[in-house]
Amino acid sequence: MKTTKLVIGILSIVLTLLVMFQSCAAGIGDAMMNEGGTSGASGFLVALFMLIAGIVAIAARNSRGGSLCCTLLYALAGLLGVSADGIYKDLMIWGMLCLIFAAVFLIFTLRMKKQPDSSEH
């Protein structure tokens, strides 16, 4: 479980660079086409959520709260990526990947055993 969270966190940080580069190019394309597309800004937010979730996944891979935070961030990024419109069609792929990561972290959160409170003894 911990290794999977570490791998997903590292993969998210690496993919953030690719998504960020593509969203910058899509933002320029949206501005040049002047049709009101929002895929550039949406791609930037997806990349930002992926970066934050990747960092939290690495830093708090032993924590139930960290897994829950990653689930929420990946779910937000996934929903934003899937619902974006414009010329950046790859954003749907990144959104689906984020939804898969959210599902993995949700499963790990639900399967993680609750730690006993040491202050009661």
Side-chain angles (χ1 to χ4, degrees):
M1 224 179 343
K2 294 176 191 176
T3 307
T4 306
K5 291 179 185 180
L6 181 67
V7 168
I8 289 175
I10 292 170
L11 188 63
S12 292
I13 293 171
V14 171
L15 286 177
T16 295
L17 299 172
L18 180 64
V19 175
M20 188 74 72
F21 177 73
Q22 286 180 339
S23 68
C24 288
I28 291 171
D30 281 338
M32 290 175 68
M33 290 175 58
N34 199 16
E35 293 177 355
T38 60
S39 60
S42 297
F44 179 78
L45 289 174
V46 168
L48 185 65
F49 287 148
M50 282 178 67
L51 178 66
I52 295 169
I55 291 170
V56 171
I58 292 171
R61 65 183 177 270
N62 298 330
S63 160
R64 186 180 182 114
S67 295
L68 186 62
C69 179
C70 289
T71 301
L72 293 175
L73 286 170
Y74 281 127
L76 282 173
L79 292 174
L80 190 62
V82 170
S83 66
D85 61 343
I87 62 172
Y88 188 17
K89 301 299 181 191
D90 287 351
L91 193 56
M92 186 169 288
I93 295 169
W94 304 127
M96 290 302 295
L97 184 66
C98 286
L99 288 175
I100 292 169
F101 288 168
V104 169
F105 272 92
L106 181 63
I107 290 168
F108 286 161
T109 301
L110 295 176
R111 291 187 62 182
M112 191 176 289
K113 295 178 183 173
K114 186 175 181 180
Q115 300 294 329
D117 191 13
S118 61
S119 63
E120 293 179 3
H121 298 286

